[in-house]
Amino acid sequence: AQSVTQLGSHVSVSEGALVLLRCNYSSSVPPYLFWYVQYPNQGLQLLLKYTSAATLVKGINGFEAEFKKSETSFHLTKPSAHMSDAAEYFCAVSDPGSGYALNFGKGTSLLVTP
Amino acid sequence: EPEVTQTPSHQVTQMGQEVILRCVPISNHLYFYWYRQILGQKVEFLVSFYNNEISEKSEIFDDQFSVERPDGSNFTLKIRSTKLEDSAMYFCASSELGTGRNEQFFGPGTRLTVL
């Protein structure tokens, strides 16, 4: 089954600093990868997705992610953090073995300090 | 913008009771899903549903769980006899198609507390 691993359950950055959230995948076939964000007491919102087109994917709110097959990675970045970026971020892979259900990573909580 | 809605936002029940969680998927979507998130853990897939039947289910989705699309708009998750370990946030999602590249749109969730 396809799976993802998120390194770092908590990441803290200063406002204006680079955000880097790590995600590595395990897949026997070309994967479809997603990043979702969960703000407190809200549902999951799609930030961006990789579906085998361009390896650099741009999403909402200034986030982007680069698919690197050689590193089996799909890290999420943002050049300059805002206070409003504080949230839980989930990497997910679509699993063809379970009807394309999403397999989520454990999540990374992003804290942005002034 | 179309969105997935879920009711109630919070459900408190006694162990052994039946609960029904309700979802209204986006109207032109054909695939529906339930996921759950136990506090502090990752989001886990429960079941997918297409054309009025279960497409896939995880090992979590045992005989205590059932899903139904009782009419053209609602999609429900029933837990027959709740256990303490069923306490979690339950998310409904829908997608236009069931391919891997299609985005799943998530509802805001129902927080289920079993006492």
Side-chain angles (χ1 to χ4, degrees), chain A residues 1-112:
Chain A
Q2 331 299 78
S3 64
V4 292
T5 302
Q6 291 183 246
L7 299 175
S9 58
H10 293 84
V11 170
S12 181
V13 300
S14 300
E15 191 174 19
L18 171 72
V19 175
L20 171 61
L21 305 181
R22 299 177 186 274
C23 174
N24 288 87
Y25 69 88
S26 172
S27 175
S28 56
V29 297
Y32 297 129
L33 294 160
F34 304 80
W35 275 100
Y36 281 85
V37 61
Q38 184 181 32
Y39 297 103
N41 301 313
Q42 293 188 29
L44 298 163
Q45 180 183 8
L46 182 70
L47 278 176
L48 48 80
K49 64 179 181 181
Y50 169 75
T51 57
S52 73
T55 56
L56 181 62
V57 182
K58 294 187 183 300
I60 62 171
N61 302 339
F63 284 93
E64 62 182 37
E66 186 172 7
F67 174 76
K68 290 187 177 179
K69 185 178 179 181
S70 61
E71 298 178 8
T72 61
S73 69
F74 189 57
H75 302 329
L76 182 71
T77 60
K78 182 173 180 177
S80 176
H82 294 170
M83 297 296 290
S84 60
D85 293 327
E88 190 84 13
Y89 291 81
F90 293 94
C91 182
V93 63
S94 178
D95 183 6
S98 61
Y100 299 108
L102 294 174
N103 279 343
F104 285 87
K106 291 187 177 181
T108 297
S109 180
L110 177 65
L111 174 67
V112 182

Side-chain angles (χ1 to χ4, degrees), chain B residues 24-40:
Chain B
V24 178
I26 294 173
S27 62
N28 63 332
H29 285 187
L30 301 177
Y31 290 80
F32 315 120
Y33 309 84
W34 283 102
Y35 293 82
R36 78 172 184 190
Q37 183 183 29
I38 295 172
L39 188 63

